[in-house]
Amino acid sequence: MSNPAFTTLSLHPSLLSNLDTLGYTKMTPIQAKALPLILEGKDVIGQGKTGSGKTAAFGLGVLSNLKVKRFRVQSLVLCPTRELADQVAKEIRTLGRAIHNIKVLTLCGGMPMGPQIGSLEHGAHILVGTPGRILDHLDRGRIDLSELNTLVLDEADRMLDMGFQDALDAIISHAPAQRQTLLFSATYPTEIKKVAEAIMDKPEMVKVESTHDHSSIKQYFYQLDSKEQRDDALETLLLQHQPESSVVFCNTKKEVQHVADELHARGFSVIDLHGDLEQRERDQALVQFANKSVSILVATDVAARGLDVDNLDAVFNFELSRDPEIHVHRIGRTGRAGSKGIACSFFSEKEMYKVAQIDEYMDMPIEPSALPEMPTTAPYSSAMTTIQIDGGKKQKLRPGDILGALTSEGGIQGDQVGKMHMFPIRAYVAVNKNVAKKALKKLQNGKMKGRQFRARIL
Ligand code: AMP
C-alpha cells in the first residue's frame, strides 16, 4: 500500500507548498503513522531509525506548534550528539524556510560558550542541542522554558546509553507540565519505557519496521574463543576483502583501543573513536574517515552514532552487541543504495545464545563460517591524505578558496582534490596522497581571502 500524500494532513499551506518544492510528496511510513497524532497534539513515541524520515515527522510537529510572532523558546529538541543536532537543526530550517523569521539555535557541548551565550541573548524559537550543554545554560538562567510547547527527545536510547539520564531529568524539571512531548528511539528497552512513563502524557506508540533491505548484506559469523584468534581473524578478513571504508565495532573503550593498536601495528590505516575524545579529535577522526584518508574506523556503538557515513563496504563486529537490534543497526551501515555489503561477526562459545537471538530477530538461519587462510596481500592503502588548514568559516574561508589555492598555477589537478570539511576555525581537505606535499606547499605559500594560513598534513 502506498503512503498518503502530505496534503491529507492539516498542515499550514506554506509548510505544504514547501514540502512540495523539497520533493517530499508522499509520507514515509513513520510520518504516515505519527504525523496525524502529532498534529492532534498527542504525545507520541516513535520507534524508527535514521533514514525513516523521523526528523521531518517531529520537525513538522514543532513547526505547526510555533507562533512565530511570539519570540520565545517554544520547542526544545534534545539529541545525543552534535552531529545529529546539526542535522536536525538543518532539517527543521529547511522544512520551515517558507515561514519568515524562524530562529533555530543549536547548543551543543564541545563548542565554545561565548557565541552560544550571545545567540541566546538574541533569542530563539527552537533550540536543538545536547543535554549537558542545554542544562548548563538552563542552570545559569540563560534559557527560559516557561513558554515551551513542544519537547522532543531524539534517539532517546542513545542519550540514555551515553549517561544523559540525570541531565534529561533536570532539563525536564525546568519545562512546563503542559506541553507536547515526542520521543523517538531506534530501540525500546525498559529504560526508555520508564522515561516515557515519567515524562509523557498518555503517549501513542508508533512503530515502523526497518526499511533497510538486509538482503544486500552478506553476513558471516566466526566462532573465535580467544582475543588473539580475533586479532588474526580481523587481519585475515581485512586482507581478504580489502574494504575502502569499514567500521570495526567493539563494546568497550578498552577493546577499541586494543583493536586499533593491534591493526596499526599490523600496518593498517586505522583510527579509533570513543566517548572520551575531545570534540576536535572527534571531528578530525570523522573527517579523515569520511574523506577516505583512513579506511578503518574502530568504534563503540555510542561513538559511532551520528557518524555520517553509512555506505560502508564492510562492518566487523569484533564483539557481538548486547542485543540483536543493535546488531541490525551496526550491519545496516553497509550494503546501502543497492551496493553489496558484508558484515563479519565474531562470537565465542559462550555467546552462542546471542547468535541464536540474532537468527531469531532477523528471521535468518545463521551458519558459522570457517576462516579463510591469511592472504599474503598487503593491507589496503588509502589513496587520500588530509591537510588541516588553520582557518575556517570565521575567517570566511570557503571550499572554493581552498580549491582555488590548490589548483592555481603550478598546483595540483582538480580531480586530485577530495572532500572538504569546514569548521569555525579550521578546514580539512583531502588530496591524493602522491601530491600531498605539493598541495601543502600551495596552501602554505599561497593566499586565500588575501592572507596566508598555516596548514599541515595530518
Ligand atoms: P531522517 O530519518 O529524518 O534522518 O530522514 C532521512 C532523509 O529522508 C532525510 O534526508 C530527509 O530529508 C528525507 N525525507 C524525509 N521525509 C521525506 C519524505 N516524505 N519524502 C522524501 N524524503 C524525505
Side-chain angles (χ1 to χ4, degrees):
M1 204 181 68
S2 89
N3 288 310
F6 282 101
T7 44
T8 58
L9 297 170
S10 57
L11 275 173
H12 194 277
S14 60
L15 287 176
L16 276 178
S17 62
N18 183 46
L19 285 169
D20 197 44
T21 63
L22 285 173
Y24 294 15
T25 43
K26 294 214 161 57
M27 289 187 252
T28 65
I30 201 161
Q31 291 163 354
K33 286 187 185 167
L35 267 167
L37 299 167
I38 293 176
L39 297 178
E40 270 178 50
K42 296 217 162 98
D43 280 8
V44 173
I45 299 171
Q47 205 182 332
K49 63 176 193 168
T50 297
S52 60
K54 66 186 168 64
T55 318
F58 67 72
L60 289 168
V62 161
L63 290 166
S64 295
N65 288 343
L66 183 72
K67 295 174 209 73
V68 186
K69 292 214 174 94
R70 190 89 193 128
F71 196 36
R72 296 286 149 77
V73 174
Q74 297 172 43
S75 294
L76 173 63
V77 183
L78 296 168
C79 301
T81 62
R82 176 161 73 89
E83 286 86 4
L84 183 67
D86 284 338
Q87 286 167 28
V88 166
K90 197 168 146 211
E91 174 98 2
I92 294 179
R93 287 191 189 103
T94 309
L95 291 168
R97 65 187 178 184
I99 310 172
H100 291 296
N101 299 320
I102 297 188
K103 190 91 184 31
V104 183
L105 194 61
T106 46
L107 299 168
C108 297
M111 301 300 286
M113 275 284 184
Q116 295 186 355
I117 296 171
S119 302
L120 279 170
E121 279 167 2
H122 284 102
H125 295 105
I126 301 168
L127 302 181
V128 184
T130 48
R133 182 58 64 93
I134 297 275
L135 182 60
D136 198 345
H137 288 301
L138 269 168
D139 283 344
R140 287 162 208 263
R142 297 189 199 116
I143 299 177
D144 173 12
L145 293 183
S146 59
E147 298 201 22
L148 189 85
N149 58 36
T150 320
L151 172 70
V152 182
L153 274 64
D154 192 12
E155 299 197 351
D157 49 352
R158 287 295 155 163
M159 289 201 275
L160 294 194
D161 282 353
M162 292 172 77
F164 281 135
Q165 173 88 60
D166 291 346
L168 290 177
D169 292 344
I171 291 168
I172 292 163
S173 73
H174 285 268
Q178 188 67 290
R179 59 164 197 264
Q180 184 176 19
T181 307
L182 306 173
L183 182 150
F184 284 78
S185 189
T187 59
Y188 196 65
T190 344
E191 299 85 45
I192 295 289
K193 219 186 215 153
K194 278 196 204 133
V195 170
E197 275 162 14
I199 67 166
M200 301 181 85
D201 179 23
K202 299 191 276 311
E204 300 260 1
M205 176 106 183
V206 302
K207 190 175 168 167
V208 290
E209 295 310 319
S210 158
T211 49
H212 191 63
D213 172 14
H214 295 290
S215 62
S216 56
I217 304 170
K218 183 95 185 89
Q219 287 209 75
Y220 301 92
F221 288 80
Y222 301 97
Q223 184 181 337
L224 300 159
D225 287 296
S226 74
K227 200 182 256 184
E228 292 71 35
Q229 281 179 336
R230 291 186 187 213
D231 293 340
D232 289 343
L234 186 57
E235 178 176 2
T236 301
L237 294 167
L238 282 166
L239 293 177
Q240 187 197 8
H241 296 290
Q242 299 276 326
E244 189 182 16
S245 293
S246 64
V247 173
V248 182
F249 284 102
C250 300
N251 291 342
T252 63
K253 196 175 72 189
K254 201 167 144 233
E255 205 63 19
V256 166
Q257 196 69 56
H258 163 80
V259 173
D261 289 349
E262 197 60 41
L263 288 179
H264 187 73
R266 295 177 190 224
F268 289 91
S269 141
V270 56
I271 211 153
D272 59 323
L273 202 61
H274 55 74
D276 282 356
L277 294 181
E278 278 180 35
Q279 192 64 47
R280 190 175 52 84
E281 296 170 311
R282 189 177 154 80
D283 287 339
Q284 263 184 19
L286 289 174
V287 161
Q288 287 176 275
F289 186 64
N291 72 19
K292 301 198 189 275
S293 301
V294 169
S295 69
I296 307 166
L297 183 78
V298 188
T300 56
D301 292 293
V302 170
R305 185 41 75 109
L307 170 66
D308 201 8
V309 179
D310 53 16
N311 52 344
L312 300 172
D313 304 305
V315 166
F316 298 92
N317 295 309
F318 193 81
E319 299 176 296
L320 282 182
S321 58
R322 279 179 288 113
D323 78 54
E325 270 190 82
I326 295 178
H327 179 84
V328 173
H329 279 274
R330 287 180 174 183
I331 68 167
R333 290 184 176 274
T334 183
R336 290 277 166 114
S339 66
K340 289 254 179 253
I342 60 158
C344 300
S345 305
F346 302 164
F347 66 97
S348 63
E349 191 172 2
K350 273 196 274 177
E351 289 174 312
M352 291 276 208
Y353 77 98
K354 286 193 185 176
V355 177
Q357 282 175 343
I358 294 169
D359 181 324
E360 192 185 46
Y361 185 82
M362 300 191 76
D363 194 14
M364 181 197 71
I366 296 173
E367 281 294 326
S369 303
L371 267 181
E373 291 274 310
M374 174 110 49
T376 50
T377 41
Y380 176 84
S381 162
S382 319
M384 308 303 277
T385 293
T386 304
I387 301 179
Q388 173 185 316
I389 301 163
D390 288 348
K393 291 183 194 163
K394 281 241 173 70
Q395 288 75 30
K396 306 251 185 293
L397 213 53
R398 286 166 186 273
D401 301 321
I402 299 172
L403 185 66
L406 285 169
T407 56
S408 66
E409 217 180 327
I412 66 173
Q413 302 295 317
D415 61 8
Q416 294 170 320
V417 182
K419 280 195 182 174
M420 293 190 209
H421 289 88
M422 310 300 295
F423 290 88
I425 56 164
R426 255 176 225 100
Y428 300 91
V429 56
V431 296
N432 261 32
K433 222 180 228 169
N434 47 17
V435 294
K437 288 225 171 76
K438 189 169 173 187
L440 180 67
K441 281 222 177 73
K442 285 298 287 180
L443 289 173
Q444 286 171 331
N445 301 334
K447 284 190 174 173
M448 291 182 283
K449 286 279 177 281
R451 54 167 276 208
Q452 281 190 331
F453 288 90
R454 276 196 308 196
R456 66 184 180 97
I457 293 175
L458 284 187

